[in-house]
Amino acid sequence: MLSPIHRPRWWALLVIGLCIGHAIVTLSLLPWWGMVPIAGAWLGLGWLLRWGAPRRPRPRARVWPWSLLPIALWGLYVYLADSFGNVDLGAVYFHLQAGMADHGGVGRKLAAVLYNLSMLALLASFTWLVWNDHRWRLGERLLALGLLASNPLLYGITQRGAAIVTDDGAWLERRYVEPDFQQPPQDPPNLLLLYLESIERTYADRERFGDAYADLEALGEQGRVFEAVRQLDNTGWTMAGMIASQCGTPLMPAGLLHDAQFEPLGQVVPGIDCLGDLLAEQGYRLAYLGGASTAFAGKGVFYEDHGFDTILGREELRPRLEDPEYLNNWGLYDDSLFDFIVEEIHRLDATGDPWGVVSLTLAGHAPHGYPARRCIERQGEFDGVDILYSVECSAWLARDLIERLEAEGFLENTLVVIASDHLTMRVSAWEALISGERDNTFMLLGPDIPLGRVRRESSMIDVFPTILEAMGFEIDDHRAGLGVSLMSPAPTMLEQHSLESVNARLREETALQQRLWEGLVPERPAEQPPQRQEQVVEAPEDAIGEEPAEVQ
């Protein structure tokens, strides 16, 4: 008689139990060892109900279970949740179209391979159970429907599909203001816009995160710090955060509206003017420098199309390294990148024209960060896991860069903007991060910037007009795109409407999406003039700050 360990039913039940345990642990944020008792409970239930070995067995039937696809889709959702914390379908759609070549996450590639192998084992185990236990054959069709109905991935796709086939809403699009200067400044300042990858302002809470953010706190005392800068949907990944803060609008991916939807994007948000477009018209020389490849996610395409003269990423900067092998999975370490920023500012300043430099770091990149050699020399050995080590590294390197530039006299007529590109994804401090409200880093440093802290319910779309006004440009009604300058008393969108209400609009509307991708999406049919009728308010939030359509 075979021992339990040699019986295939126990292997099948063990695989299924471990996969269920991993899914529950991942989605509920239980400790990893929680999957062991969950798998044990599953095995106990299987023993009690004799799954795979019924008392009155029926003939074995080789039928393909209906649940295989729903199980695979749940596996994909759990993988995305394990990788990023919050599953953002907009990010998935955008990266598929903009390009994922030169992705630097080697660790995630290995995780993807392991996930695929575990999913194959799960599907094989489930199929064996259905073939050998008629009770599972009878009930698994209902299981398939339940898995489909409960999968958040399918729910999100359904929502976005509904937005595409229904009549276009235009609530957001009507609020979009074309950025335009009423009066440029007499002595236009230079601009240094430094994105610190995933270094959200939430880390400033010393009770939860100690001194990891201390160097940025010290920098903030020299300028103006904005608090409560929230994250709207479609602004939660790098390109989306850059576009929100430089164009004043969330990045609504072209998606199924793109007339060549299975081809890589040749342009990124061509229908709107962004920070680079406006500054280039004013004679600025603009440069982008980042440690990662500019081919990833359309970064190079975006900056090339929106006024930047110089675009430097991993491929362009690696040959200039003293040690060409001093690289991480994504590209250059931040100490190397900052040296090149100083060199580029030297070059631009020598032209005599106003300049703008935009840069993106890597030290804080999830899941563990990429602390530079200079940080390890200062902070001691990195354990390869603790994200707070990497946060401290990123903050210190940023402060050191600003002090270097100040010592060389480059900041006398320069606005320095320090911002996170988005809230961080799943990291070692995840439970502490999500235990309270979260907000992005956004601070301004410059000779004419008033000191202090400003707490206003806002989002990254408000960064764009704030930068323009901080540089001395007068803009219409303090607005640009969907954003409002936080240097002004004008109310922001989140001060007038809740975050949930605005996010709901982003899921339901496509008119603004049409504007962003003008020229890359099919033209909308001409709308028939509406008959005059009494306005019907569908939900309470629709009435907040909304005038009847005929008087807008």
Side-chain angles (χ1 to χ4, degrees):
M1 185 174 180
L2 293 175
S3 64
I5 197 169
H6 292 116
R7 296 175 185 173
R9 67 179 283 237
W10 290 112
W11 285 111
L13 290 173
L14 178 62
V15 168
I16 295 172
L18 288 174
C19 289
I20 291 174
H22 174 69
I24 293 174
V25 165
T26 298
L27 299 179
S28 65
L29 300 179
L30 291 171
W32 67 268
W33 50 261
M35 63 187 296
V36 176
I38 294 172
W42 174 263
L43 289 174
L45 190 62
W47 172 80
L48 183 65
L49 298 178
R50 297 183 60 87
W51 286 337
R55 295 184 185 278
R56 297 178 181 177
R58 295 184 184 179
R60 195 167 185 256
R62 296 198 172 194
V63 294
W64 292 109
W66 289 58
S67 299
L68 293 185
L69 178 60
I71 290 172
L73 290 173
W74 258 107
L76 175 60
Y77 179 79
V78 172
Y79 168 74
L80 293 173
D82 187 31
S83 301
F84 306 114
N86 298 319
V87 180
D88 191 329
L89 289 174
V92 175
Y93 294 152
F94 179 78
H95 285 87
L96 287 175
Q97 286 188 302
M100 297 181 68
D102 297 301
H103 183 287
V106 173
R108 292 317 307 171
K109 291 177 182 178
L110 176 61
V113 171
L114 294 176
Y115 259 88
N116 283 330
L117 292 176
S118 64
M119 282 306 304
L120 289 175
L122 173 62
L123 296 176
S125 299
F126 185 82
T127 301
W128 185 93
L129 200 58
V130 170
W131 284 1
N132 290 275
D133 192 329
H134 65 279
R135 296 169 297 174
W136 279 84
R137 289 198 296 276
L138 293 175
E140 71 94 15
R141 292 188 181 185
L142 289 176
L143 175 64
L145 291 175
L147 291 173
L148 286 173
S150 61
N151 192 326
L153 192 65
L154 273 294
Y155 175 70
I157 291 174
T158 302
Q159 279 193 318
R160 291 180 179 275
I164 291 171
V165 300
T166 57
D167 292 337
D168 284 353
W171 188 87
L172 289 167
E173 205 272 342
R174 287 195 298 271
R175 283 157 176 75
Y176 181 89
V177 175
E178 291 278 1
D180 185 34
F181 297 145
Q182 293 181 347
Q183 182 67 42
Q186 293 290 332
D187 184 18
N190 304 313
L191 172 67
L192 173 59
L193 173 50
L194 187 60
Y195 290 105
L196 304 182
E197 169 68 49
S198 302
I199 307 298
E200 58 187 88
R201 207 194 70 83
T202 317
Y203 287 120
D205 186 341
R206 290 178 183 264
E207 290 186 6
R208 286 185 284 171
F209 308 109
D211 293 332
Y213 196 86
D215 285 298
L216 289 178
E217 286 279 82
L219 274 181
E221 293 174 0
Q222 304 172 33
R224 173 146 292 199
V225 174
F226 297 94
E227 301 177 353
V229 182
R230 309 300 182 194
Q231 181 163 289
L232 289 172
D233 285 355
N234 291 335
T235 66
W237 67 97
T238 294
M239 274 308 303
M242 286 181 166
I243 287 172
S245 53
Q246 293 182 47
C247 309
T249 173
L251 172 53
M252 304 175 75
L256 297 179
L257 290 182
H258 184 205
D259 56 6
Q261 57 197 264
F262 300 110
E263 297 178 9
L265 293 170
Q267 295 176 282
V268 176
V269 292
I272 57 174
D273 286 335
C274 300
L275 181 65
D277 301 296
L278 301 178
L279 295 184
E281 290 177 0
Q282 299 296 316
Y284 277 73
R285 294 179 179 266
L286 302 175
Y288 168 81
L289 294 88
S293 172
T294 57
F296 180 70
K299 273 200 294 285
V301 175
F302 170 72
Y303 283 106
E304 183 178 352
D305 287 348
H306 289 278
F308 280 69
D309 315 291
T310 302
I311 303 165
L312 303 174
R314 182 183 65 198
E315 291 77 12
E316 296 79 16
L317 294 175
R318 180 177 182 177
R320 295 163 56 178
L321 289 170
E322 291 184 9
D323 177 6
E325 300 307 313
Y326 179 48
L327 298 168
N328 55 55
N329 289 339
W330 282 94
L332 277 69
Y333 285 95
D334 287 351
D335 50 1
S336 301
L337 176 66
F338 286 178
D339 288 340
F340 289 128
I341 289 175
V342 174
E343 289 181 14
E344 184 64 20
I345 290 176
H346 271 276
R347 185 186 71 82
L348 292 172
D349 199 66
T351 66
D353 296 322
W355 51 262
V357 171
V358 176
S359 184
L360 171 67
T361 68
L362 282 175
H365 200 291
H368 311 303
Y370 298 95
R373 185 182 295 157
R374 289 185 62 200
C375 294
I376 295 174
E377 293 170 354
R378 172 180 176 268
Q379 296 172 222
E381 198 63 31
F382 176 47
D383 66 4
V385 175
D386 184 10
I387 193 62
L388 297 184
Y389 183 106
S390 300
V391 171
E392 181 180 348
C393 172
S394 184
W396 176 71
L397 286 174
R399 182 180 182 182
D400 181 69
L401 173 66
I402 301 307
E403 290 175 349
R404 288 168 64 188
L405 292 172
E406 187 172 27
E408 295 190 43
F410 288 118
L411 302 186
E412 292 178 2
N413 186 33
T414 299
L415 174 69
V416 177
V417 181
I418 300 177
S420 50
D421 53 343
H422 53 76
L423 302 181
T424 192
M425 298 173 187
R426 187 183 289 268
V427 290
S428 61
W430 186 246
E431 289 82 359
L433 281 167
I434 64 175
S435 65
E437 287 189 334
R438 302 170 67 188
D439 58 349
N440 280 287
T441 292
F442 178 36
M443 64 178 70
L444 303 177
L445 309 172
D448 299 321
I449 298 300
L451 304 183
R453 295 177 177 270
V454 175
R455 183 175 182 84
R456 296 182 61 179
E457 286 298 322
S458 55
S459 66
M460 292 299 282
I461 62 175
D462 299 306
V463 171
F464 178 37
T466 305
I467 291 175
L468 293 177
E469 287 206 336
M471 294 180 72
F473 293 99
E474 294 183 14
I475 54 177
D476 185 29
D477 199 27
H478 310 291
R479 299 174 63 193
L482 295 176
V484 170
S485 171
L486 300 179
M487 306 288 285
S488 77
T492 68
M493 184 172 285
L494 293 192
E495 287 174 331
Q496 293 179 298
H497 311 279
S498 69
L499 181 67
E500 293 75 15
S501 176
V502 176
N503 282 339
R505 295 288 187 175
L506 285 168
R507 291 190 294 268
E508 296 166 359
E509 300 183 11
T510 58
L512 179 61
Q513 184 183 30
Q514 293 275 357
R515 177 190 284 268
L516 298 180
W517 300 99
E518 184 178 352
L520 293 183
V521 296
E523 299 236 350
R524 286 177 290 169
E527 296 183 2
Q528 297 296 325
Q531 296 182 352
R532 190 175 185 85
Q533 59 182 3
E534 184 178 352
Q535 185 190 26
V536 177
V537 176
E538 296 180 346
E541 60 267 24
D542 293 332
I544 302 175
E546 175 84 60
E547 294 181 333
E550 59 263 28
V551 300
Q552 284 194 352

